Amino acid sequence: MATLAYHPSLRNIIPISLFLHSLLAFSFTALARPATFTQDFRITWADSHIKQIGGGSTIQLVLDQNSGCGFASKGKYLFGKVSVAIKLIPGDSAGTVTAFYMNSDTDTIRDELDFEFLGNRSGQPYTVQTNVYAHGKGDREQRVNLWFDPAAEFHTYSILWNHHHVVFSVDEIPIRVYKNNEAKGIPFPKFQPMGVYSTLWEADDWATRGGIEKIDWSKAPFYAYMQSFELEGCAVPGPSTCPSSPSNWWEGAAYQQLNAAQARSYRWVRMNHLIYDYCTDKSRYPVTPPECVAGI
């Protein structure tokens, strides 16, 4: 499927590497600085289940019967792009969820942009679920079966977030677009900064075939791997003019809508690999949600 991949122009992007030992960069201004895991992230739970490999070039997340694990950025950011290369749990991973997401860490008015990778029985497609919370309202799930084995090698998953839309992509192929329809009275996440999170956890009450397939703990421990984090955006607190600046590359004309190549790839994903869309789930939503009518 390499012919379907879209690679945007990088002329106006300053590569930023960050995470551990200068592998990744979590600076959101034009001035990039090297950072370490200790400086820029905090382990949110089960530090014994998060391990550094290759001198910190790769992060291993572990799930066993004792615990899953998670980490988060120490800072929050408003608009930009975040991406990470992930190699998911191989073999029988039913009932597990590996997540990579942004979250405002607020209660009733939470904003959140989710990638959730739902484990499978051996030989079945891996499913990625995306969700969007805006001003406290979520339940906007869509599911796509990945067209490759995401446990065989690393693949890049990214979220582009600007004033016009949110775009979820896999290897630069858009799989979901959530447009800003505020003009039609539909909430859009644009006021609250969000941190960057990752977790590996047990969810066999719902993750695989609606909870029919349970975790086979004889296959534990389960391992997922992450590397090559990249994120550019506006740090909060930081310059107050940054989030609204039209000079930020992610606000440029090339990123305000899908171009022709992206649109073709997007249609291909939606026609061939989309397996669930809340917009068409009449059992949950007898009345079509307004953002679906407006065109997400």
Side-chain angles (χ1 to χ4, degrees):
M1 299 303 174
T3 56
L4 295 170
Y6 169 73
H7 302 282
S9 170
L10 301 179
R11 289 175 297 177
N12 298 319
I13 302 175
I14 300 174
I16 298 181
S17 68
L18 164 134
F19 202 45
L20 301 165
H21 305 295
S22 304
L23 172 70
L24 313 167
F26 246 94
S27 174
F28 288 80
T29 66
L31 178 62
R33 67 167 177 82
T36 67
F37 184 74
T38 302
Q39 287 177 316
D40 290 273
F41 292 88
R42 56 187 173 87
I43 295 175
T44 53
W45 55 298
D47 57 352
S48 64
H49 286 56
I50 296 179
K51 303 182 185 303
Q52 301 180 32
I53 297 175
S57 62
T58 299
I59 302 305
Q60 179 192 68
L61 290 85
V62 183
L63 168 65
D64 57 26
Q65 284 185 282
N66 294 316
S67 183
C69 58
F71 65 85
S73 60
K74 292 179 180 178
K76 290 186 177 182
Y77 313 97
L78 190 55
F79 301 114
K81 183 179 180 180
V82 60
S83 67
V84 62
I86 303 175
K87 184 161 66 172
L88 293 170
I89 299 167
D92 187 345
S93 58
T96 69
V97 175
T98 306
F100 171 66
Y101 59 103
M102 302 188 74
N103 189 310
S104 62
D105 195 26
T106 48
D107 295 326
T108 57
I109 55 170
R110 172 169 50 126
D111 288 341
E112 186 169 311
L113 307 172
D114 293 335
F115 271 115
E116 292 178 309
F117 302 93
L118 312 183
N120 63 359
R121 285 289 178 226
S122 297
Q124 299 299 312
Y126 239 108
T127 298
V128 56
Q129 174 171 284
T130 56
N131 200 356
V132 175
Y133 282 77
H135 301 189
K137 172 66 173 65
D139 298 325
R140 297 184 172 98
E141 301 93 346
Q142 293 184 0
R143 294 184 179 183
V144 168
N145 277 345
L146 294 172
W147 50 95
F148 52 84
D149 180 359
E153 58 186 13
F154 286 93
H155 291 265
T156 300
Y157 305 89
S158 62
I159 301 169
L160 173 71
W161 174 31
N162 61 28
H163 284 79
H164 303 275
H165 56 194
V166 175
V167 181
F168 296 83
S169 298
V170 176
D171 292 333
E172 297 296 344
I173 298 174
I175 66 167
R176 181 171 187 176
V177 178
Y178 186 84
K179 296 179 181 177
N180 185 344
N181 282 304
E182 283 186 309
K184 299 178 180 179
I186 299 165
F188 183 80
K190 83 174 202 182
F191 299 108
Q192 298 189 99
M194 291 191 259
V196 181
Y197 294 79
S198 180
T199 55
L200 173 58
W201 51 291
E202 170 193 355
D204 68 1
D205 57 333
W206 66 271
T208 307
R209 295 183 62 204
I212 295 174
E213 305 285 357
K214 303 299 184 181
I215 289 182
D216 181 354
W217 288 112
S218 71
K219 303 293 195 301
F222 301 99
Y223 302 106
Y225 300 88
M226 298 189 177
Q227 61 182 216
S228 302
F229 281 75
E230 293 185 5
L231 197 144
E232 294 180 80
C234 294
V236 178
S240 60
T241 56
C242 183
S244 60
S245 174
S247 63
N248 293 326
W249 70 259
W250 54 85
E251 300 290 354
Y255 303 96
Q256 294 178 14
Q257 61 184 2
L258 301 185
N259 65 24
Q262 288 176 304
R264 287 193 297 271
S265 297
Y266 185 51
R267 287 193 298 270
W268 174 81
V269 170
R270 308 293 283 186
M271 291 176 61
N272 294 284
H273 297 283
L274 180 69
I275 61 170
Y276 177 81
D277 184 353
Y278 78 104
C279 286
T280 59
D281 188 341
K282 293 301 182 183
S283 63
R284 289 179 66 194
Y285 297 102
V287 177
T288 303
E291 66 271 17
C292 302
V293 177
I296 58 173

